[in-house]
Amino acid sequence: MILFELTPADISNLNDSDLRELVARLCEAELSRQGISPVNIKWGGAQEAPDGGLDVYVQDVSSLPAPGFVPRTNTGIQVKKNSMSKAACAKEMQERGDVKKIISHLANNHGAYIIVSGKDRCTDKMLSDRISGMESAIKGLPNKENLKLDFYCSDRLSNWLRLHPGVALWARIKLGKLLSGWKPFGRWTSVPANKEDELLLDDHPCVRDLNSPDKSAVALIDGIKLARDKLRNPRSAVRITGLSGVGKTRFAQALFEAGTGENVLSSTDVIYADLGEDLKPSAAELLNYLIANEYTAFVVLDNCNPEVHRQLQRQLSESKAGLSLLTIEYDISDDKPEETGVIHLEPSSEKTVSVLIQRRFPELGQLNAHRIAEFAGGNARVAIALANRVDADETLTKFSDDALFKRLFSQRKEHSDSLLINAEILSLVYSFNVSAKEFNDELSVLANIGDVKRKSLHRDQVELLHRQLIQQRGNWRAVLPHALANRLASRALENIAPDEINSELFKLENIRLLKSCAHRLGYLHDCQAAHELASSWLQHGAPLNNIAACDPEHLAILSYIAPVFPATALSAIEKACEDKKFASRKNVYFSTVVCLLCKLAYEDEMFDRAAGVLLKFAET
């Protein structure tokens, strides 16, 4: 199977500017792999413009740990699309009968000079002839022995390209030989091409390292440094998580952007794909191929579900590859895999979102941008969606949150009570499945809870999908962004009695949906109706009435709803600890309970109580 390799004939088909950029990208990749900044590489300008005799110049690199296709710390490369004979090589190096000044400069600095031909395919003899021609051009140079000369034909470029799959992927796109869904470094976000895409930085703490004992948030630039440090280790697997709209993909893109912090990861060695697209080859096939061919690369996978992450991480850990894996968590799944590194993103500051709106929608003005950012609570996706619904001559400063919510939801379309009611019902859960054959037909369960017809619920989830207020992954759906979904869920809880919800969710076959509803309630700690529903789950006959008898699924449910009523959750655990086996290491789920107790202990008024329960586990 051939995925990245390009033939010498492919190299010959590149035009002048693309061939020159290919060589520059290969030089960047060569240096980046050795930890050398691409700032040491100079190239650009029109192909016909005077360039002093060099198209690509690797200049004043402090050291070169592994000389290869870039052989010296000062290396000059002249790129030609056409064939270069022995005589043409000699002529290229001279100007008015004298050796070009730049070549003399390279010799003075023990450098190298290379001529590249995208047309030639050289045998050993042909290569020797061309280098002989280059040597004849500098025979009068006093320190000619200090200058390394070489000639790269299309065969050697093809071999060089095999070392750098990210560059090969770029070249394939230029040649129209795309791998379906796979991309090199670029704009991975949906920012319009005519809009500025500079990353906005401030001191607002919004990045957490979930593997660190100290999970306190740090500023964006510090989070970028953290992620880069993790990914530099071969076979590392890092996962970016966070709610929809917090900028996970933009964060991943910034890891490879020159000018964003220090020690940037190589943009020429990165391969990106969105798993929501039709990929050929699949992510597993591509990773196997990279491992088998001993490639070094960063593989970035957007919208990657936990199961795929586990599979790829396992492939990577069992290999000796020089690869690093970065996956971006989509928002629909309730499941979280065990990973080597998790970077969690939280919403940006309102100030940053305001600047973003002013940049993207300058016609709205500063006051409207501030009000939109305030309503969005630092969620860029909500802010952009709302800004798209505002006219330039409107003033939002006097609009209530409810008025802005209606503007965001209606999207200038005719108001529909049915659509709003069904959106509220669908928002009761973190995610739902639309297949009638999977998970006990969850749409029918939700329709029964809301006392609506399944056909109506299905029709309206499709309309919400068209309005980009629902995210889709296969048969899975989730109302997003969560700032909108939480508001809708709060309205639903006010209109639907707990008994009507519980009569469906307490059925054993609906355990996944119960867990998903618990996930939603965890975001509604300031909603009285959410508190009432969660409390009903601990009452006599309810699934969480006896915590000591709970299985992992029900303990996960308790963990989700604990933020709604921390004191009640702690009391339930204290009651369960009356069973001495529960409050000991004999409890096979003790680590889950201990983890929850540690979280509950953060509240000052509950610290002593939580610590007391923790001691019972410690004593065993």
Side-chain angles (χ1 to χ4, degrees):
M1 179 171 60
I2 294 177
L3 296 183
F4 294 102
E5 290 86 344
L6 291 172
T7 65
D10 291 322
I11 303 295
S12 298
N13 286 331
L14 290 168
N15 62 36
D16 286 339
S17 60
D18 287 344
L19 180 63
R20 183 171 46 160
E21 184 170 352
L22 173 69
V23 174
R25 285 175 175 266
L26 285 169
C27 288
E28 288 183 2
E30 193 87 1
L31 266 60
S32 293
R33 190 165 292 182
Q34 300 180 56
I36 301 170
S37 171
V39 74
N40 296 91
I41 301 174
K42 295 179 173 59
W43 68 283
Q47 181 73 4
E48 302 79 14
D51 52 22
L54 297 180
D55 288 315
V56 182
Y57 189 8
V58 179
Q59 186 177 18
D60 297 331
V61 174
S62 57
S63 65
L64 205 59
F69 283 95
V70 178
R72 299 278 176 89
T73 56
N74 282 280
T75 297
I77 304 176
Q78 184 66 16
V79 183
K80 296 293 183 183
K81 176 171 173 56
N82 55 289
S83 178
M84 295 293 288
S85 64
K86 175 180 179 180
C89 288
K91 182 179 179 181
E92 178 61 37
M93 298 175 66
Q94 293 185 332
E95 190 172 27
R96 299 187 182 92
D98 295 324
V99 177
K100 288 181 177 178
K101 291 181 179 180
I102 187 63
I103 297 176
S104 296
H105 176 77
L106 287 169
N108 292 337
N109 288 276
H110 293 266
Y113 177 78
I114 300 168
I115 293 178
V116 170
S117 168
K119 187 72 172 178
D120 288 333
R121 299 193 64 182
C122 294
T123 62
D124 288 344
K125 183 180 183 306
M126 294 167 67
L127 179 61
S128 297
D129 283 345
R130 281 157 176 76
I131 294 177
S132 175
M134 296 171 71
E135 289 171 344
S136 69
I138 61 168
K139 61 184 178 181
L141 207 61
N143 49 1
K144 60 184 178 183
E145 67 278 359
N146 295 337
L147 183 65
K148 178 178 176 58
L149 298 174
D150 212 337
F151 183 89
Y152 293 173
C153 60
S154 57
D155 295 83
R156 295 185 75 183
L157 283 182
S158 179
N159 291 336
W160 192 3
L161 202 55
R162 286 191 180 97
L163 301 176
H164 302 287
V167 183
L169 189 56
W170 172 87
R172 293 186 74 91
I173 291 173
K174 291 294 182 179
L175 291 164
K177 294 188 169 187
L178 290 73
L179 297 180
S180 178
W182 295 97
K183 303 174 184 177
F185 175 75
R187 281 195 178 191
W188 299 333
T189 62
S190 57
V191 177
N194 63 338
K195 297 292 184 180
E196 190 179 347
D197 191 35
E198 179 188 358
L199 184 69
L200 296 173
L201 298 170
D202 62 17
D203 295 328
H204 176 68
C206 59
V207 182
R208 297 181 189 274
D209 179 2
L210 298 190
N211 299 92
S212 170
D214 178 13
K215 294 181 174 61
S216 57
V218 297
L220 193 60
I221 193 64
D222 296 320
I224 288 171
K225 179 182 183 302
L226 175 69
R228 285 171 175 166
D229 290 343
K230 289 177 180 290
L231 284 168
R232 274 197 185 85
N233 300 317
R235 294 177 298 284
S236 58
V238 176
R239 196 149 170 80
I240 300 174
T241 67
L243 301 179
S244 176
V246 296
K248 300 184 294 295
T249 302
R250 187 64 186 85
F251 179 89
Q253 182 180 314
L255 301 179
F256 305 92
E257 283 182 335
T260 303
E262 300 176 349
N263 300 317
V264 178
L265 299 179
S266 172
S267 63
T268 50
D269 281 334
V270 62
I271 302 168
Y272 169 89
D274 184 338
L275 295 191
E277 299 180 9
D278 182 24
L279 299 185
K280 294 180 182 178
S282 69
E285 289 171 336
L286 181 123
L287 203 65
N288 274 332
Y289 181 82
L290 293 173
I291 291 170
N293 288 276
E294 299 181 344
Y295 278 121
T296 298
F298 299 99
V299 180
V300 179
L301 299 176
D302 211 340
N303 291 317
C304 178
N305 68 47
E307 184 179 346
V308 173
H309 175 89
R310 285 195 192 94
Q311 176 190 351
L312 299 177
Q313 185 182 13
R314 191 160 48 246
Q315 285 178 242
L316 194 58
S317 63
E318 293 172 354
S319 75
K320 296 182 180 179
L323 302 172
S324 294
L325 175 68
L326 175 65
T327 65
I328 302 171
E329 168 70 293
Y330 70 160
D331 298 288
I332 291 179
S333 175
D334 293 312
D335 189 18
K336 299 291 181 188
E338 295 179 3
E339 34 268 325
T340 53
V342 182
I343 306 294
H344 185 74
L345 265 61
E346 296 178 349
S348 304
S349 67
E350 291 181 8
K351 179 182 177 181
T352 295
V353 173
S354 176
V355 173
L356 174 66
I357 296 302
Q358 291 175 63
R359 174 193 290 176
R360 195 78 65 84
F361 304 90
E363 69 280 4
L364 296 184
Q366 189 179 71
L367 291 178
N368 278 346
H370 288 344
R371 182 67 183 98
I372 289 170
E374 179 187 25
F375 174 79
N379 187 297
R381 182 173 174 178
V382 175
I384 291 170
L386 180 56
N388 272 311
R389 317 295 174 236
V390 178
D391 293 325
D393 58 353
E394 287 188 286
T395 301
L396 301 181
T397 51
K398 295 183 180 180
F399 276 54
S400 66
D401 281 359
D402 192 55
L404 292 177
F405 162 76
K406 290 178 180 177
R407 178 70 62 89
L408 176 64
F409 185 81
S410 66
Q411 300 189 3
R412 296 177 181 163
K413 297 183 180 181
E414 184 178 347
H415 176 74
S416 168
D417 288 334
S418 167
L419 184 67
L420 181 59
I421 290 170
N422 285 339
E424 291 172 1
I425 296 168
L426 296 172
S427 295
L428 279 172
V429 292
Y430 189 85
S431 65
F432 57 93
N433 194 294
V434 295
S435 171
K437 300 177 181 179
E438 298 180 31
F439 296 101
N440 195 39
D441 188 5
E442 292 187 346
L443 270 187
S444 290
V445 175
L446 292 170
N448 290 338
I449 289 173
D451 193 24
V452 298
K453 294 186 179 297
R454 187 190 191 281
K455 286 185 178 179
S456 169
L457 205 57
H458 185 275
R459 182 185 63 247
D460 283 344
Q461 68 88 13
V462 172
E463 175 59 26
L464 291 168
L465 186 62
H466 292 158
R467 296 190 185 191
Q468 297 184 335
L469 298 178
I470 275 185
Q471 190 165 332
Q472 173 184 6
R473 294 290 179 269
N475 288 329
W476 291 101
R477 303 288 187 273
V479 180
L480 294 170
H482 289 295
L484 173 68
N486 294 340
R487 192 176 193 76
L488 288 166
S490 296
R491 294 166 64 106
L493 291 172
E494 292 171 359
N495 297 324
I496 304 174
D499 287 347
E500 294 173 338
I501 296 173
N502 294 339
S503 63
E504 291 292 333
L505 295 190
F506 284 2
K507 295 176 182 178
L508 291 178
E509 62 268 27
N510 292 333
I511 182 64
R512 200 217 70 83
L513 214 52
L514 175 63
K515 184 177 175 182
S516 191
C517 182
H519 201 165
R520 171 65 65 210
L521 293 184
Y523 292 104
L524 307 178
H525 56 85
D526 56 351
C527 173
Q528 180 59 32
H531 185 283
E532 292 173 4
L533 178 62
S535 297
S536 71
W537 294 358
L538 277 75
Q539 293 173 1
H540 180 70
L544 303 183
N545 175 247
N546 182 8
I547 301 300
C550 282
D551 58 19
E553 296 277 24
H554 289 92
L555 287 175
I557 291 169
L558 178 63
S559 296
Y560 276 134
I561 62 175
V564 178
F565 49 13
T568 304
L570 181 55
S571 295
I573 295 174
E574 288 173 328
K575 180 180 178 182
C577 285
E578 294 173 3
D579 179 341
K580 292 184 178 181
K581 182 179 178 181
F582 179 85
S584 72
R585 297 298 178 99
K586 293 180 181 180
N587 179 356
V588 293
Y589 311 126
F590 83 89
S591 60
T592 302
V593 179
V594 166
C595 182
L596 178 55
L597 284 166
C598 289
K599 293 177 181 177
L600 292 171
Y602 275 102
E603 299 293 338
D604 288 347
E605 64 273 17
M606 293 193 296
F607 179 85
D608 289 342
R609 289 171 59 194
V613 180
L614 284 166
L615 281 172
K616 292 184 179 182
F617 286 92
E619 287 170 350
T620 65

